[in-house]
PDB file of all heavy atoms in Angstrom:
ATOM      1  N   ASP B   1       0.854  -1.183   0.000  1.00  0.00           N
ATOM      2  CA  ASP B   1       0.000   0.000   0.000  1.00  0.00           C
ATOM      3  C   ASP B   1       0.895   1.239   0.000  1.00  0.00           C
ATOM      4  O   ASP B   1       1.002   1.968   0.987  1.00  0.00           O
ATOM      5  CB  ASP B   1      -0.905  -0.014   1.226  1.00  0.00           C
ATOM      6  CG  ASP B   1      -1.912   1.130   1.206  1.00  0.00           C
ATOM      7  OD1 ASP B   1      -2.093   1.740   0.130  1.00  0.00           O
ATOM      8  OD2 ASP B   1      -2.500   1.419   2.267  1.00  0.00           O
ATOM      9  N   VAL B   2       1.563   1.459  -1.148  1.00  0.00           N
ATOM     10  CA  VAL B   2       2.565   2.523  -1.241  1.00  0.00           C
ATOM     11  C   VAL B   2       2.236   3.520  -2.354  1.00  0.00           C
ATOM     12  O   VAL B   2       3.070   4.361  -2.702  1.00  0.00           O
ATOM     13  CB  VAL B   2       3.969   1.922  -1.503  1.00  0.00           C
ATOM     14  CG1 VAL B   2       4.435   1.109  -0.313  1.00  0.00           C
ATOM     15  CG2 VAL B   2       3.972   1.072  -2.773  1.00  0.00           C
ATOM     16  N   PHE B   3       1.036   3.450  -2.879  1.00  0.00           N
ATOM     17  CA  PHE B   3       0.719   4.259  -4.055  1.00  0.00           C
ATOM     18  C   PHE B   3       0.763   5.753  -3.771  1.00  0.00           C
ATOM     19  O   PHE B   3       0.980   6.554  -4.688  1.00  0.00           O
ATOM     20  CB  PHE B   3      -0.634   3.851  -4.627  1.00  0.00           C
ATOM     21  CG  PHE B   3      -0.667   2.402  -5.044  1.00  0.00           C
ATOM     22  CD1 PHE B   3      -1.431   1.478  -4.348  1.00  0.00           C
ATOM     23  CD2 PHE B   3       0.093   1.966  -6.115  1.00  0.00           C
ATOM     24  CE1 PHE B   3      -1.447   0.148  -4.726  1.00  0.00           C
ATOM     25  CE2 PHE B   3       0.084   0.639  -6.502  1.00  0.00           C
ATOM     26  CZ  PHE B   3      -0.688  -0.276  -5.802  1.00  0.00           C
ATOM     27  N   ASP B   4       0.579   6.162  -2.498  1.00  0.00           N
ATOM     28  CA  ASP B   4       0.699   7.574  -2.148  1.00  0.00           C
ATOM     29  C   ASP B   4       2.110   8.100  -2.382  1.00  0.00           C
ATOM     30  O   ASP B   4       2.324   9.317  -2.407  1.00  0.00           O
ATOM     31  CB  ASP B   4       0.328   7.802  -0.687  1.00  0.00           C
ATOM     32  CG  ASP B   4      -1.172   7.812  -0.468  1.00  0.00           C
ATOM     33  OD1 ASP B   4      -1.914   7.879  -1.474  1.00  0.00           O
ATOM     34  OD2 ASP B   4      -1.603   7.752   0.691  1.00  0.00           O
ATOM     35  N   HIS B   5       3.065   7.199  -2.521  1.00  0.00           N
ATOM     36  CA  HIS B   5       4.472   7.596  -2.639  1.00  0.00           C
ATOM     37  C   HIS B   5       5.043   7.301  -4.017  1.00  0.00           C
ATOM     38  O   HIS B   5       6.262   7.289  -4.197  1.00  0.00           O
ATOM     39  CB  HIS B   5       5.292   6.878  -1.564  1.00  0.00           C
ATOM     40  CG  HIS B   5       4.779   7.111  -0.182  1.00  0.00           C
ATOM     41  ND1 HIS B   5       5.049   8.269   0.530  1.00  0.00           N
ATOM     42  CD2 HIS B   5       3.977   6.363   0.617  1.00  0.00           C
ATOM     43  CE1 HIS B   5       4.443   8.209   1.706  1.00  0.00           C
ATOM     44  NE2 HIS B   5       3.788   7.068   1.781  1.00  0.00           N
ATOM     45  N   LEU B   6       4.167   7.092  -4.977  1.00  0.00           N
ATOM     46  CA  LEU B   6       4.605   6.778  -6.338  1.00  0.00           C
ATOM     47  C   LEU B   6       4.082   7.810  -7.326  1.00  0.00           C
ATOM     48  O   LEU B   6       3.012   8.394  -7.139  1.00  0.00           O
ATOM     49  CB  LEU B   6       4.114   5.387  -6.748  1.00  0.00           C
ATOM     50  CG  LEU B   6       4.600   4.198  -5.916  1.00  0.00           C
ATOM     51  CD1 LEU B   6       3.934   2.919  -6.392  1.00  0.00           C
ATOM     52  CD2 LEU B   6       6.115   4.073  -5.981  1.00  0.00           C
ATOM     53  N   MET B   7       4.860   8.000  -8.387  1.00  0.00           N
ATOM     54  CA  MET B   7       4.469   8.865  -9.503  1.00  0.00           C
ATOM     55  C   MET B   7       4.651   8.069 -10.794  1.00  0.00           C
ATOM     56  O   MET B   7       5.220   6.984 -10.796  1.00  0.00           O
ATOM     57  CB  MET B   7       5.339  10.123  -9.515  1.00  0.00           C
ATOM     58  CG  MET B   7       5.186  10.986  -8.269  1.00  0.00           C
ATOM     59  SD  MET B   7       6.493  12.245  -8.069  1.00  0.00           S
ATOM     60  CE  MET B   7       7.820  11.272  -7.345  1.00  0.00           C
ATOM     61  N   MET B   8       4.192   8.620 -11.921  1.00  0.00           N
ATOM     62  CA  MET B   8       4.311   7.933 -13.202  1.00  0.00           C
ATOM     63  C   MET B   8       4.828   8.903 -14.263  1.00  0.00           C
ATOM     64  O   MET B   8       4.584  10.103 -14.182  1.00  0.00           O
ATOM     65  CB  MET B   8       2.962   7.355 -13.643  1.00  0.00           C
ATOM     66  CG  MET B   8       2.384   6.327 -12.693  1.00  0.00           C
ATOM     67  SD  MET B   8       0.888   5.501 -13.307  1.00  0.00           S
ATOM     68  CE  MET B   8      -0.321   6.823 -13.192  1.00  0.00           C
ATOM     69  N   THR B   9       5.528   8.353 -15.263  1.00  0.00           N
ATOM     70  CA  THR B   9       6.044   9.169 -16.356  1.00  0.00           C
ATOM     71  C   THR B   9       6.145   8.354 -17.638  1.00  0.00           C
ATOM     72  O   THR B   9       6.305   7.132 -17.586  1.00  0.00           O
ATOM     73  CB  THR B   9       7.429   9.744 -16.020  1.00  0.00           C
ATOM     74  OG1 THR B   9       7.884  10.546 -17.120  1.00  0.00           O
ATOM     75  CG2 THR B   9       8.456   8.631 -15.792  1.00  0.00           C
ATOM     76  N   THR B  10       6.088   9.051 -18.784  1.00  0.00           N
ATOM     77  CA  THR B  10       6.384   8.416 -20.065  1.00  0.00           C
ATOM     78  C   THR B  10       7.829   8.685 -20.481  1.00  0.00           C
ATOM     79  O   THR B  10       8.265   8.213 -21.533  1.00  0.00           O
ATOM     80  CB  THR B  10       5.432   8.920 -21.170  1.00  0.00           C
ATOM     81  OG1 THR B  10       5.559  10.331 -21.293  1.00  0.00           O
ATOM     82  CG2 THR B  10       3.993   8.556 -20.843  1.00  0.00           C
ATOM     83  N   ASP B  11       8.572   9.448 -19.705  1.00  0.00           N
ATOM     84  CA  ASP B  11      10.018   9.634 -19.842  1.00  0.00           C
ATOM     85  C   ASP B  11      10.447   9.961 -21.276  1.00  0.00           C
ATOM     86  O   ASP B  11      11.352   9.335 -21.828  1.00  0.00           O
ATOM     87  CB  ASP B  11      10.754   8.381 -19.354  1.00  0.00           C
ATOM     88  CG  ASP B  11      12.253   8.619 -19.171  1.00  0.00           C
ATOM     89  OD1 ASP B  11      12.656   9.792 -19.196  1.00  0.00           O
ATOM     90  OD2 ASP B  11      12.996   7.643 -19.015  1.00  0.00           O
ATOM     91  N   GLY B  12       9.808  10.954 -21.874  1.00  0.00           N
ATOM     92  CA  GLY B  12      10.244  11.393 -23.193  1.00  0.00           C
ATOM     93  C   GLY B  12      10.155  10.332 -24.252  1.00  0.00           C
ATOM     94  O   GLY B  12      11.139  10.017 -24.925  1.00  0.00           O
ATOM     95  N   ALA B  13       8.995   9.755 -24.434  1.00  0.00           N
ATOM     96  CA  ALA B  13       8.827   8.712 -25.443  1.00  0.00           C
ATOM     97  C   ALA B  13       8.883   9.315 -26.839  1.00  0.00           C
ATOM     98  O   ALA B  13       8.704  10.520 -27.036  1.00  0.00           O
ATOM     99  CB  ALA B  13       7.497   7.994 -25.229  1.00  0.00           C
ATOM    100  N   THR B  14       9.134   8.461 -27.811  1.00  0.00           N
ATOM    101  CA  THR B  14       9.132   8.911 -29.200  1.00  0.00           C
ATOM    102  C   THR B  14       7.686   9.145 -29.663  1.00  0.00           C
ATOM    103  O   THR B  14       6.746   8.647 -29.049  1.00  0.00           O
ATOM    104  CB  THR B  14       9.844   7.888 -30.089  1.00  0.00           C
ATOM    105  OG1 THR B  14       9.339   6.582 -29.818  1.00  0.00           O
ATOM    106  CG2 THR B  14      11.331   7.900 -29.821  1.00  0.00           C
ATOM    107  N   PRO B  15       7.478   9.921 -30.731  1.00  0.00           N
ATOM    108  CA  PRO B  15       6.122  10.357 -31.095  1.00  0.00           C
ATOM    109  C   PRO B  15       5.090   9.246 -31.197  1.00  0.00           C
ATOM    110  O   PRO B  15       3.972   9.385 -30.686  1.00  0.00           O
ATOM    111  CB  PRO B  15       6.340  11.050 -32.447  1.00  0.00           C
ATOM    112  CG  PRO B  15       7.721  11.585 -32.370  1.00  0.00           C
ATOM    113  CD  PRO B  15       8.502  10.550 -31.599  1.00  0.00           C
ATOM    114  N   SER B  16       5.434   8.146 -31.859  1.00  0.00           N
ATOM    115  CA  SER B  16       4.428   7.109 -32.102  1.00  0.00           C
ATOM    116  C   SER B  16       3.924   6.464 -30.822  1.00  0.00           C
ATOM    117  O   SER B  16       2.798   5.957 -30.781  1.00  0.00           O
ATOM    118  CB  SER B  16       4.991   6.031 -33.039  1.00  0.00           C
ATOM    119  OG  SER B  16       6.132   5.424 -32.477  1.00  0.00           O
ATOM    120  N   PHE B  17       4.716   6.502 -29.759  1.00  0.00           N
ATOM    121  CA  PHE B  17       4.273   5.935 -28.485  1.00  0.00           C
ATOM    122  C   PHE B  17       3.063   6.689 -27.939  1.00  0.00           C
ATOM    123  O   PHE B  17       2.258   6.132 -27.187  1.00  0.00           O
ATOM    124  CB  PHE B  17       5.416   5.969 -27.472  1.00  0.00           C
ATOM    125  CG  PHE B  17       5.110   5.271 -26.160  1.00  0.00           C
ATOM    126  CD1 PHE B  17       5.162   3.888 -26.074  1.00  0.00           C
ATOM    127  CD2 PHE B  17       4.780   5.995 -25.034  1.00  0.00           C
ATOM    128  CE1 PHE B  17       4.883   3.249 -24.875  1.00  0.00           C
ATOM    129  CE2 PHE B  17       4.504   5.362 -23.831  1.00  0.00           C
ATOM    130  CZ  PHE B  17       4.561   3.976 -23.756  1.00  0.00           C
ATOM    131  N   TYR B  18       2.937   7.948 -28.318  1.00  0.00           N
ATOM    132  CA  TYR B  18       1.843   8.776 -27.817  1.00  0.00           C
ATOM    133  C   TYR B  18       0.581   8.680 -28.660  1.00  0.00           C
ATOM    134  O   TYR B  18      -0.392   9.406 -28.404  1.00  0.00           O
ATOM    135  CB  TYR B  18       2.299  10.233 -27.737  1.00  0.00           C
ATOM    136  CG  TYR B  18       3.362  10.488 -26.693  1.00  0.00           C
ATOM    137  CD1 TYR B  18       4.547  11.140 -27.020  1.00  0.00           C
ATOM    138  CD2 TYR B  18       3.191  10.073 -25.383  1.00  0.00           C
ATOM    139  CE1 TYR B  18       5.526  11.377 -26.061  1.00  0.00           C
ATOM    140  CE2 TYR B  18       4.160  10.291 -24.418  1.00  0.00           C
ATOM    141  CZ  TYR B  18       5.328  10.947 -24.766  1.00  0.00           C
ATOM    142  OH  TYR B  18       6.295  11.168 -23.814  1.00  0.00           O
ATOM    143  N   SER B  19       0.574   7.809 -29.637  1.00  0.00           N
ATOM    144  CA  SER B  19      -0.611   7.711 -30.498  1.00  0.00           C
ATOM    145  C   SER B  19      -1.853   7.302 -29.725  1.00  0.00           C
ATOM    146  O   SER B  19      -2.976   7.580 -30.146  1.00  0.00           O
ATOM    147  CB  SER B  19      -0.353   6.726 -31.641  1.00  0.00           C
ATOM    148  OG  SER B  19      -0.075   5.430 -31.138  1.00  0.00           O
ATOM    149  N   ASP B  20      -1.671   6.639 -28.571  1.00  0.00           N
ATOM    150  CA  ASP B  20      -2.825   6.249 -27.754  1.00  0.00           C
ATOM    151  C   ASP B  20      -2.779   6.870 -26.364  1.00  0.00           C
ATOM    152  O   ASP B  20      -3.350   6.332 -25.426  1.00  0.00           O
ATOM    153  CB  ASP B  20      -2.945   4.728 -27.658  1.00  0.00           C
ATOM    154  CG  ASP B  20      -1.708   4.067 -27.057  1.00  0.00           C
ATOM    155  OD1 ASP B  20      -0.665   4.749 -26.933  1.00  0.00           O
ATOM    156  OD2 ASP B  20      -1.774   2.876 -26.725  1.00  0.00           O
ATOM    157  N   GLY B  21      -2.112   8.023 -26.241  1.00  0.00           N
ATOM    158  CA  GLY B  21      -2.212   8.752 -24.990  1.00  0.00           C
ATOM    159  C   GLY B  21      -0.894   9.075 -24.335  1.00  0.00           C
ATOM    160  O   GLY B  21       0.173   8.648 -24.785  1.00  0.00           O
ATOM    161  N   MET B  22      -0.984   9.850 -23.242  1.00  0.00           N
ATOM    162  CA  MET B  22       0.182  10.217 -22.459  1.00  0.00           C
ATOM    163  C   MET B  22      -0.068   9.814 -21.005  1.00  0.00           C
ATOM    164  O   MET B  22      -0.081   8.648 -20.681  1.00  0.00           O
ATOM    165  CB  MET B  22       0.519  11.704 -22.602  1.00  0.00           C
ATOM    166  CG  MET B  22       1.817  12.108 -21.907  1.00  0.00           C
ATOM    167  SD  MET B  22       2.286  13.840 -22.094  1.00  0.00           S
ATOM    168  CE  MET B  22       3.225  13.756 -23.615  1.00  0.00           C
ATOM    169  N   MET B  23      -0.322  10.771 -20.122  1.00  0.00           N
ATOM    170  CA  MET B  23      -0.580  10.398 -18.730  1.00  0.00           C
ATOM    171  C   MET B  23      -1.918   9.691 -18.586  1.00  0.00           C
ATOM    172  O   MET B  23      -2.108   8.882 -17.673  1.00  0.00           O
ATOM    173  CB  MET B  23      -0.521  11.635 -17.828  1.00  0.00           C
ATOM    174  CG  MET B  23       0.857  12.286 -17.746  1.00  0.00           C
ATOM    175  SD  MET B  23       2.202  11.120 -17.392  1.00  0.00           S
ATOM    176  CE  MET B  23       1.798  10.630 -15.717  1.00  0.00           C
ATOM    177  N   ASP B  24      -2.870   9.984 -19.478  1.00  0.00           N
ATOM    178  CA  ASP B  24      -4.120   9.231 -19.470  1.00  0.00           C
ATOM    179  C   ASP B  24      -3.853   7.746 -19.716  1.00  0.00           C
ATOM    180  O   ASP B  24      -4.500   6.877 -19.133  1.00  0.00           O
ATOM    181  CB  ASP B  24      -5.073   9.776 -20.521  1.00  0.00           C
ATOM    182  CG  ASP B  24      -4.443   9.810 -21.912  1.00  0.00           C
ATOM    183  OD1 ASP B  24      -3.370  10.421 -22.062  1.00  0.00           O
ATOM    184  OD2 ASP B  24      -5.018   9.219 -22.844  1.00  0.00           O
ATOM    185  N   LYS B  25      -2.850   7.464 -20.569  1.00  0.00           N
ATOM    186  CA  LYS B  25      -2.491   6.076 -20.835  1.00  0.00           C
ATOM    187  C   LYS B  25      -1.887   5.424 -19.590  1.00  0.00           C
ATOM    188  O   LYS B  25      -2.182   4.261 -19.285  1.00  0.00           O
ATOM    189  CB  LYS B  25      -1.511   6.000 -22.009  1.00  0.00           C
ATOM    190  CG  LYS B  25      -0.982   4.608 -22.273  1.00  0.00           C
ATOM    191  CD  LYS B  25      -0.422   4.436 -23.671  1.00  0.00           C
ATOM    192  CE  LYS B  25       0.826   5.196 -23.934  1.00  0.00           C
ATOM    193  NZ  LYS B  25       1.415   4.858 -25.263  1.00  0.00           N
ATOM    194  N   CYS B  26      -1.041   6.166 -18.878  1.00  0.00           N
ATOM    195  CA  CYS B  26      -0.462   5.635 -17.639  1.00  0.00           C
ATOM    196  C   CYS B  26      -1.540   5.328 -16.610  1.00  0.00           C
ATOM    197  O   CYS B  26      -1.481   4.301 -15.909  1.00  0.00           O
ATOM    198  CB  CYS B  26       0.551   6.629 -17.068  1.00  0.00           C
ATOM    199  SG  CYS B  26       2.051   6.833 -18.049  1.00  0.00           S
ATOM    200  N   ILE B  27      -2.514   6.225 -16.493  1.00  0.00           N
ATOM    201  CA  ILE B  27      -3.611   5.987 -15.543  1.00  0.00           C
ATOM    202  C   ILE B  27      -4.378   4.732 -15.938  1.00  0.00           C
ATOM    203  O   ILE B  27      -4.735   3.906 -15.077  1.00  0.00           O
ATOM    204  CB  ILE B  27      -4.546   7.207 -15.488  1.00  0.00           C
ATOM    205  CG1 ILE B  27      -3.805   8.417 -14.917  1.00  0.00           C
ATOM    206  CG2 ILE B  27      -5.795   6.900 -14.641  1.00  0.00           C
ATOM    207  CD1 ILE B  27      -4.537   9.729 -15.086  1.00  0.00           C
ATOM    208  N   GLN B  28      -4.619   4.558 -17.232  1.00  0.00           N
ATOM    209  CA  GLN B  28      -5.334   3.364 -17.684  1.00  0.00           C
ATOM    210  C   GLN B  28      -4.539   2.097 -17.376  1.00  0.00           C
ATOM    211  O   GLN B  28      -5.111   1.078 -16.971  1.00  0.00           O
ATOM    212  CB  GLN B  28      -5.611   3.449 -19.181  1.00  0.00           C
ATOM    213  CG  GLN B  28      -6.563   2.365 -19.689  1.00  0.00           C
ATOM    214  CD  GLN B  28      -7.936   2.470 -19.061  1.00  0.00           C
ATOM    215  OE1 GLN B  28      -8.605   3.487 -19.202  1.00  0.00           O
ATOM    216  NE2 GLN B  28      -8.373   1.432 -18.339  1.00  0.00           N
ATOM    217  N   VAL B  29      -3.221   2.155 -17.541  1.00  0.00           N
ATOM    218  CA  VAL B  29      -2.371   1.011 -17.187  1.00  0.00           C
ATOM    219  C   VAL B  29      -2.511   0.693 -15.703  1.00  0.00           C
ATOM    220  O   VAL B  29      -2.620  -0.476 -15.311  1.00  0.00           O
ATOM    221  CB  VAL B  29      -0.902   1.306 -17.538  1.00  0.00           C
ATOM    222  CG1 VAL B  29       0.026   0.262 -16.913  1.00  0.00           C
ATOM    223  CG2 VAL B  29      -0.707   1.318 -19.050  1.00  0.00           C
ATOM    224  N   ALA B  30      -2.532   1.729 -14.880  1.00  0.00           N
ATOM    225  CA  ALA B  30      -2.681   1.520 -13.439  1.00  0.00           C
ATOM    226  C   ALA B  30      -4.030   0.898 -13.103  1.00  0.00           C
ATOM    227  O   ALA B  30      -4.120  -0.034 -12.291  1.00  0.00           O
ATOM    228  CB  ALA B  30      -2.507   2.844 -12.703  1.00  0.00           C
ATOM    229  N   LEU B  31      -5.094   1.393 -13.724  1.00  0.00           N
ATOM    230  CA  LEU B  31      -6.419   0.825 -13.492  1.00  0.00           C
ATOM    231  C   LEU B  31      -6.458  -0.646 -13.906  1.00  0.00           C
ATOM    232  O   LEU B  31      -7.002  -1.498 -13.193  1.00  0.00           O
ATOM    233  CB  LEU B  31      -7.470   1.621 -14.258  1.00  0.00           C
ATOM    234  CG  LEU B  31      -7.690   3.073 -13.810  1.00  0.00           C
ATOM    235  CD1 LEU B  31      -8.579   3.801 -14.811  1.00  0.00           C
ATOM    236  CD2 LEU B  31      -8.295   3.125 -12.412  1.00  0.00           C
ATOM    237  N   ASP B  32      -5.872  -0.948 -15.059  1.00  0.00           N
ATOM    238  CA  ASP B  32      -5.866  -2.323 -15.557  1.00  0.00           C
ATOM    239  C   ASP B  32      -5.040  -3.254 -14.667  1.00  0.00           C
ATOM    240  O   ASP B  32      -5.299  -4.459 -14.626  1.00  0.00           O
ATOM    241  CB  ASP B  32      -5.310  -2.365 -16.981  1.00  0.00           C
ATOM    242  CG  ASP B  32      -6.218  -1.664 -17.990  1.00  0.00           C
ATOM    243  OD1 ASP B  32      -7.397  -1.427 -17.655  1.00  0.00           O
ATOM    244  OD2 ASP B  32      -5.735  -1.346 -19.094  1.00  0.00           O
ATOM    245  N   ALA B  33      -4.056  -2.676 -13.954  1.00  0.00           N
ATOM    246  CA  ALA B  33      -3.204  -3.483 -13.074  1.00  0.00           C
ATOM    247  C   ALA B  33      -3.847  -3.738 -11.716  1.00  0.00           C
ATOM    248  O   ALA B  33      -3.294  -4.464 -10.899  1.00  0.00           O
ATOM    249  CB  ALA B  33      -1.851  -2.794 -12.888  1.00  0.00           C
ATOM    250  N   GLY B  34      -5.007  -3.129 -11.477  1.00  0.00           N
ATOM    251  CA  GLY B  34      -5.686  -3.342 -10.201  1.00  0.00           C
ATOM    252  C   GLY B  34      -5.424  -2.278  -9.156  1.00  0.00           C
ATOM    253  O   GLY B  34      -5.778  -2.450  -7.986  1.00  0.00           O
ATOM    254  N   VAL B  35      -4.805  -1.158  -9.567  1.00  0.00           N
ATOM    255  CA  VAL B  35      -4.600  -0.051  -8.633  1.00  0.00           C
ATOM    256  C   VAL B  35      -5.944   0.623  -8.373  1.00  0.00           C
ATOM    257  O   VAL B  35      -6.711   0.875  -9.307  1.00  0.00           O
ATOM    258  CB  VAL B  35      -3.598   0.968  -9.224  1.00  0.00           C
ATOM    259  CG1 VAL B  35      -3.455   2.183  -8.319  1.00  0.00           C
ATOM    260  CG2 VAL B  35      -2.241   0.299  -9.450  1.00  0.00           C
ATOM    261  N   PRO B  36      -6.281   0.928  -7.118  1.00  0.00           N
ATOM    262  CA  PRO B  36      -7.533   1.634  -6.840  1.00  0.00           C
ATOM    263  C   PRO B  36      -7.617   2.930  -7.648  1.00  0.00           C
ATOM    264  O   PRO B  36      -6.612   3.642  -7.787  1.00  0.00           O
ATOM    265  CB  PRO B  36      -7.451   1.906  -5.328  1.00  0.00           C
ATOM    266  CG  PRO B  36      -6.560   0.832  -4.801  1.00  0.00           C
ATOM    267  CD  PRO B  36      -5.547   0.591  -5.878  1.00  0.00           C
ATOM    268  N   PRO B  37      -8.793   3.241  -8.203  1.00  0.00           N
ATOM    269  CA  PRO B  37      -8.906   4.394  -9.104  1.00  0.00           C
ATOM    270  C   PRO B  37      -8.359   5.702  -8.547  1.00  0.00           C
ATOM    271  O   PRO B  37      -7.640   6.421  -9.254  1.00  0.00           O
ATOM    272  CB  PRO B  37     -10.404   4.476  -9.377  1.00  0.00           C
ATOM    273  CG  PRO B  37     -10.864   3.064  -9.278  1.00  0.00           C
ATOM    274  CD  PRO B  37     -10.058   2.464  -8.157  1.00  0.00           C
ATOM    275  N   ILE B  38      -8.690   6.030  -7.316  1.00  0.00           N
ATOM    276  CA  ILE B  38      -8.207   7.304  -6.775  1.00  0.00           C
ATOM    277  C   ILE B  38      -6.686   7.315  -6.730  1.00  0.00           C
ATOM    278  O   ILE B  38      -6.040   8.308  -7.089  1.00  0.00           O
ATOM    279  CB  ILE B  38      -8.828   7.581  -5.393  1.00  0.00           C
ATOM    280  CG1 ILE B  38     -10.311   7.919  -5.553  1.00  0.00           C
ATOM    281  CG2 ILE B  38      -8.094   8.704  -4.673  1.00  0.00           C
ATOM    282  CD1 ILE B  38     -11.051   8.160  -4.250  1.00  0.00           C
ATOM    283  N   ASP B  39      -6.075   6.217  -6.323  1.00  0.00           N
ATOM    284  CA  ASP B  39      -4.606   6.147  -6.321  1.00  0.00           C
ATOM    285  C   ASP B  39      -4.048   6.310  -7.727  1.00  0.00           C
ATOM    286  O   ASP B  39      -3.007   6.942  -7.925  1.00  0.00           O
ATOM    287  CB  ASP B  39      -4.143   4.816  -5.725  1.00  0.00           C
ATOM    288  CG  ASP B  39      -4.287   4.758  -4.221  1.00  0.00           C
ATOM    289  OD1 ASP B  39      -3.993   5.775  -3.559  1.00  0.00           O
ATOM    290  OD2 ASP B  39      -4.687   3.704  -3.694  1.00  0.00           O
ATOM    291  N   ALA B  40      -4.710   5.723  -8.709  1.00  0.00           N
ATOM    292  CA  ALA B  40      -4.235   5.821 -10.089  1.00  0.00           C
ATOM    293  C   ALA B  40      -4.199   7.282 -10.541  1.00  0.00           C
ATOM    294  O   ALA B  40      -3.224   7.727 -11.170  1.00  0.00           O
ATOM    295  CB  ALA B  40      -5.132   5.003 -11.014  1.00  0.00           C
ATOM    296  N   TYR B  41      -5.255   8.031 -10.217  1.00  0.00           N
ATOM    297  CA  TYR B  41      -5.286   9.441 -10.605  1.00  0.00           C
ATOM    298  C   TYR B  41      -4.296  10.273  -9.797  1.00  0.00           C
ATOM    299  O   TYR B  41      -3.662  11.198 -10.336  1.00  0.00           O
ATOM    300  CB  TYR B  41      -6.708   9.997 -10.456  1.00  0.00           C
ATOM    301  CG  TYR B  41      -7.614   9.522 -11.557  1.00  0.00           C
ATOM    302  CD1 TYR B  41      -8.445   8.418 -11.380  1.00  0.00           C
ATOM    303  CD2 TYR B  41      -7.635  10.159 -12.798  1.00  0.00           C
ATOM    304  CE1 TYR B  41      -9.269   7.953 -12.394  1.00  0.00           C
ATOM    305  CE2 TYR B  41      -8.460   9.715 -13.824  1.00  0.00           C
ATOM    306  CZ  TYR B  41      -9.267   8.605 -13.612  1.00  0.00           C
ATOM    307  OH  TYR B  41     -10.072   8.149 -14.632  1.00  0.00           O
ATOM    308  N   GLN B  42      -4.130   9.947  -8.529  1.00  0.00           N
ATOM    309  CA  GLN B  42      -3.201  10.708  -7.686  1.00  0.00           C
ATOM    310  C   GLN B  42      -1.754  10.553  -8.173  1.00  0.00           C
ATOM    311  O   GLN B  42      -0.965  11.493  -8.082  1.00  0.00           O
ATOM    312  CB  GLN B  42      -3.305  10.240  -6.235  1.00  0.00           C
ATOM    313  CG  GLN B  42      -4.682  10.337  -5.621  1.00  0.00           C
ATOM    314  CD  GLN B  42      -4.919  11.612  -4.837  1.00  0.00           C
ATOM    315  OE1 GLN B  42      -5.371  12.604  -5.377  1.00  0.00           O
ATOM    316  NE2 GLN B  42      -4.657  11.555  -3.560  1.00  0.00           N
ATOM    317  N   MET B  43      -1.400   9.355  -8.686  1.00  0.00           N
ATOM    318  CA  MET B  43      -0.039   9.128  -9.163  1.00  0.00           C
ATOM    319  C   MET B  43       0.279   9.980 -10.384  1.00  0.00           C
ATOM    320  O   MET B  43       1.449  10.166 -10.732  1.00  0.00           O
ATOM    321  CB  MET B  43       0.179   7.652  -9.493  1.00  0.00           C
ATOM    322  CG  MET B  43       0.353   6.763  -8.272  1.00  0.00           C
ATOM    323  SD  MET B  43       0.990   5.120  -8.724  1.00  0.00           S
ATOM    324  CE  MET B  43      -0.414   4.431  -9.583  1.00  0.00           C
TER     325      MET B  43
END
């Protein structure tokens, strides 16, 4: 239970990586991994 202490980044991806999103994509990855929704948005 450490999500309050985590952040997320795309770390300067190349253009095509962003074809399906940026931080919205990271949040979706977190949701799909089972992270509680509020924690996913807070990260």
Side-chain angles (χ1 to χ4, degrees):
D1 186 15
V2 294
F3 300 111
D4 282 348
H5 305 280
L6 299 176
M7 298 166 278
M8 299 187 289
T9 181
T10 59
D11 193 12
T14 49
S16 60
F17 186 78
Y18 293 128
S19 61
D20 59 347
M22 186 178 272
M23 295 311 293
D24 55 305
K25 175 160 68 173
C26 292
I27 295 168
Q28 190 63 60
V29 168
L31 294 170
D32 293 344
V35 175
I38 289 178
D39 285 320
Y41 285 96
Q42 303 265 90
M43 284 193 291

